Amino acid sequence: MVKMQPYVKMWYDYLEEGKIMGLKCKKCGAYEFPPVPVCNSCSGTDLEWVEMKGTGKLISFSIMQLMDKVQVKYGRRYIGQVQLTEGPAFTATLEDFDLNKREELYDRLPADVNLGIMQFDGFKFVSFKLKD
Amino acid sequence: MKTRIGQFARSVSIIGVGVTPLGNVQVNPELKDMTERELFAWACMEAMEDAGLEAKDIDCLYVGHVFSESHSGQISTSGMFSRWIGMNEKPGFRHETACCTAVSGLRHAVLAVASGMHDIAISGCVDINLSNAMIGLPPFNRTPAVFEDVLYDSNALGCDQAYWYPGGEIMAFLEGAYIAYGKKYGYSLDQLIDAISKCSINSRRNAMNNPLALLVSENYDDEAKKFGFDDPMNYLKSKFNPLIGAIQGFKHTTGVADGASALIVCPTDMAKKMIKGRPVVEIAGLGMTTSSGYQQPGSPMSFDIESFAQSFTQAGIKDPYKELDYMAIHDCCAQHYMTVTEAAGYFKPGEALHAVMEGRIAPEGDKPVNTSGGRLNLGHPIAGAAGYEIAEAVWQMQGKCGNRQIKKQPETVLIHGLGAGFHVASAVLRAV
Ligand SMILES: [Zn+2]
């Protein structure tokens, strides 16, 4: 019997509680972040919720300025592509870095980041901040 | 994840290609007042004429139509369109994988024939992107699309709304791969910008040599002069090319267009009997990956590498750098001339940026890419997009490209299609 869970809602609910959660495969130890019910490393289906360490490396970035009718609410901002310490990569907003200093950000790649939680219109989502 | 790749039960070849010009059905006289039906039929009828076939000769159809709901106000359009090409009650279905739909269509058609189920299959792909149908009115009644809505449809709908969309959009995501590429090989941001500008200039020149391109009217040399720049490289660095990312400007990326493309395939044995006096183009390999996208950091991207690996395995390609004569990429953004060509091994790691600056990707260069003008300047009809590059590759292999013709007619070609979502669909074409 498959025991399905409402993974998407659970992940967002954890963010509301201030927790950045992922799934860890009990068979091979790989992480699925954000959560999906089958391990993409070993095909295992026995995964447990774990809190992520909240650290990673910024591999690349861009600046969001192509605004569709929804994104326009959130304005110009960096997005960063981060390799999490646990393995998975993720794409999200890079907070608190001067939009006029792209050269400096480029020089700092790959940069250590901390994961954070950012408020959007009606929900929270993962974000990144550079470690000083 | 690695995929097991077998061989086709029988060899399959392209026997006909057809495309419409790329423009705007509300503006360009060549396309004026046409609905999706006429565009689809136009491309398919061109492909039939090219193959020397009639509709009754064809066994099945695949209809690529991405924005059928949002722009055409219709679903299941394969049913509605089959009669438009004389194939009423033949088997088929509508499908979409965003911007690589035409390569998926090729895959469907090839597998139908390779399996022995059918002998002759047609794949046609259509979208009208610059205007929207008005529900309740006959479909030549259309309203011009609003930029922010087009962007939402063509971009946000392809980002996973569960785990990605709050983290950005596709063009920014793809630019990230180029930033990582630059960092990996020690290029400055200025070098990265110069290279994408050079790609845009090359692409515009190709499009100006392509009568299918209705949305461009002059080379960048002339356009730059109008705005007071002697050098188009400086023009593309100016405020007249506003940034849409960290380094890429509007003119480094694609604009959508209205149009349709089609192709017909049959067993290679049959093709050789039907086609005289020009090479038969075999589909030697197919590749395809599905991937959620937000987990692809850096460059080259694994979804490209794995798709190409499948195509190369099936086609028996061991050394793509030496064996490929031409490559067509999905150039929705100019950085793919670097990141995607290198993912395929068409260039060595870090080489493509210099190759671009030295003009090697031009039709007269030793490593030509997208001689058609591609999505950057020929235009981006979404579903039909890669169909224009497959048609261009077939014409190059047959020596039909006029002043865009590659000097040595290519014999082995790699096709790349990238669709939001994501999908990377690829194919190796070989003259036999
Ligand atoms: Zn596992």
Side-chain angles (χ1 to χ4, degrees):
Chain A
M1 267 296 267
V2 170
K3 283 190 181 163
M4 189 52 62
Q5 304 172 40
Y7 290 101
V8 177
K9 177 152 195 311
M10 289 171 77
W11 190 65
Y12 279 89
D13 284 349
Y14 278 126
L15 291 176
E16 290 296 324
E17 293 169 25
K19 288 181 180 164
I20 300 172
M21 302 291 283
L23 291 174
K24 186 176 184 186
C25 176
K26 286 188 184 173
K27 192 167 145 199
C28 77
Y31 288 79
E32 286 296 342
F33 179 88
V36 291
V38 180
C39 175
N40 280 273
S41 298
C42 78
S43 304
T45 54
D46 191 6
L47 290 80
E48 62 183 342
W49 284 99
V50 292
E51 192 160 356
M52 305 300 283
K53 287 194 182 76
T55 55
K57 284 221 184 284
L58 182 71
I59 306 295
S60 62
F61 65 88
S62 178
I63 298 176
M64 274 291 294
Q65 24 200 354
L66 198 57
M67 298 296 175
D68 64 47
K69 60 189 175 187
V70 177
Q71 291 282 2
V72 73
K73 285 191 282 195
Y74 307 122
R76 288 177 74 218
R77 62 193 196 275
Y78 282 106
I79 60 146
Q81 289 160 323
V82 167
Q83 193 91 51
L84 272 57
T85 304
E86 291 89 341
F90 197 57
T91 302
T93 304
L94 178 74
E95 294 190 274
D96 298 344
F97 199 84
D98 188 339
L99 280 167
N100 298 314
K101 292 187 175 168
R102 63 182 187 183
E103 301 277 351
E104 191 186 312
L105 187 56
Y106 187 61
D107 286 343
R108 287 178 65 174
L109 295 180
D112 288 322
V113 294
N114 287 321
L115 275 63
I117 296 176
M118 185 175 157
Q119 184 65 49
F120 282 77
D121 190 3
F123 64 94
K124 290 185 167 71
F125 199 74
V126 170
S127 65
F128 308 120
K129 280 181 192 173
L130 291 182
K131 275 186 192 172
D132 291 324
Chain B
M1 281 195 174
K2 292 274 171 280
T3 302
R4 287 183 295 276
I5 298 293
Q7 290 299 326
F8 299 131
R10 56 177 174 171
S11 168
V12 180
S13 289
I14 297 175
I15 43 169
V17 292
V19 296
T20 70
L22 281 173
N24 182 333
V25 295
Q26 294 199 300
V27 174
N28 297 103
E30 295 89 338
L31 305 175
K32 191 87 174 61
D33 292 332
M34 292 199 193
T35 74
E36 297 81 352
R37 295 147 192 80
E38 288 91 353
L39 296 180
F40 176 78
W42 184 348
C44 289
M45 289 164 73
E46 291 265 0
M48 290 180 201
E49 207 174 288
D50 189 33
L53 293 173
E54 296 181 306
K56 63 174 158 47
D57 303 324
I58 305 172
D59 302 312
C60 65
L61 73 156
Y62 299 95
V63 178
H65 193 182
V66 175
F67 295 121
S68 79
E69 289 96 334
S70 54
H71 297 179
S72 307
Q74 305 260 232
I75 59 168
S76 204
T77 47
S78 37
M80 302 163 203
F81 295 175
S82 63
R83 200 174 66 85
W84 278 82
I85 56 169
M87 292 184 65
N88 193 35
E89 298 195 349
K90 293 278 176 92
F93 55 82
R94 173 206 158 211
H95 63 96
E96 67 90 3
T97 51
C99 310
C100 71
T101 295
V103 193
S104 303
L106 172 72
R107 183 184 180 91
H108 284 311
V110 168
L111 296 181
V113 173
S115 68
M117 178 86 174
H118 297 297
D119 277 339
I120 304 180
I122 187 165
S123 160
C125 298
V126 63
D127 268 305
I128 294 182
N129 296 296
L130 292 167
S131 58
N132 294 322
M134 299 163 79
I135 305 297
L137 291 177
F140 52 82
N141 294 280
R142 307 187 71 89
T143 49
V146 176
F147 180 72
E148 285 186 344
D149 292 347
V150 173
L151 198 57
Y152 188 82
D153 290 344
S154 61
N155 209 326
L157 292 184
C159 297
D160 183 354
Q161 295 282 337
Y163 294 148
W164 179 6
Y165 181 60
E169 53 78 44
I170 294 165
M171 300 311 280
F173 170 80
L174 293 171
E175 185 185 58
Y178 190 42
I179 295 284
Y181 169 89
K183 193 70 190 181
K184 189 171 178 179
Y185 299 113
Y187 297 127
S188 68
L189 289 184
D190 276 336
Q191 279 180 295
L192 295 183
I193 295 168
D194 281 348
I196 52 178
S197 293
K198 195 87 178 175
C199 291
S200 294
I201 292 166
N202 175 65
S203 158
R204 176 69 69 87
R205 192 179 67 126
N206 289 340
M208 287 302 294
N209 285 329
N210 190 340
L212 296 167
L214 304 182
L215 297 176
V216 292
S217 55
E218 58 192 344
N219 277 314
Y220 270 125
D221 282 334
D222 297 325
E223 185 177 321
K225 281 198 183 79
K226 274 191 193 160
F227 291 89
F229 291 86
D230 288 332
D231 184 349
M233 294 288 280
N234 291 332
Y235 169 66
L236 289 172
K237 262 188 239 180
S238 75
K239 65 176 180 183
F240 299 108
N241 184 21
L243 286 174
I244 62 157
I247 58 171
Q248 66 185 347
F250 262 103
K251 292 172 190 291
H252 297 129
T253 58
T254 185
V256 294
D258 305 336
S261 62
L263 55 88
I264 299 172
V265 300
C266 76
T268 300
D269 291 347
M270 188 189 289
K272 283 185 174 169
K273 284 181 198 141
M274 289 167 59
I275 293 176
K276 302 288 176 206
R278 66 187 202 204
V280 167
V281 176
E282 181 194 34
I283 299 98
L286 290 173
M288 185 143 197
T289 50
T290 52
S291 163
S292 52
Y294 49 80
Q295 293 188 311
Q296 298 267 344
S299 174
M301 296 205 191
S302 58
F303 57 23
D304 283 326
I305 293 172
E306 171 58 19
S307 179
F308 294 140
Q310 293 171 22
S311 282
F312 293 161
T313 298
Q314 204 173 23
I317 298 224
K318 302 272 189 304
D319 184 350
Y321 191 84
K322 284 195 186 138
E323 293 177 55
L324 297 176
D325 304 317
Y326 174 63
M327 183 172 178
I329 60 168
H330 181 62
D331 56 338
C332 61
C333 44
Q335 60 258 18
H336 287 174
Y337 285 88
M338 274 63 73
T339 55
V340 175
T341 56
E342 289 188 16
Y346 190 66
F347 286 110
K348 299 205 164 78
E351 179 189 14
L353 181 136
H354 295 294
V356 161
M357 297 308 291
E358 290 158 9
R360 293 172 64 197
I361 63 166
E364 63 274 20
D366 67 320
K367 288 270 183 182
V369 184
N370 284 28
T371 53
S372 68
R375 306 294 69 75
L376 287 181
N377 284 285
L378 170 55
H380 193 345
I382 310 289
Y388 285 80
E389 299 319 311
I390 294 169
E392 179 81 358
V394 168
W395 293 331
Q396 285 288 2
M397 293 165 96
Q398 296 173 344
K400 289 181 180 172
C401 283
N403 52 4
R404 308 190 307 282
Q405 183 63 42
I406 300 165
K407 260 180 260 163
K408 181 184 165 292
Q409 269 173 243
E411 293 179 357
T412 306
V413 169
L414 179 62
I415 304 286
H416 163 264
L418 171 70
F422 274 104
H423 301 87
V424 178
S426 60
V428 172
L429 308 183
R430 190 177 275 144
V432 291

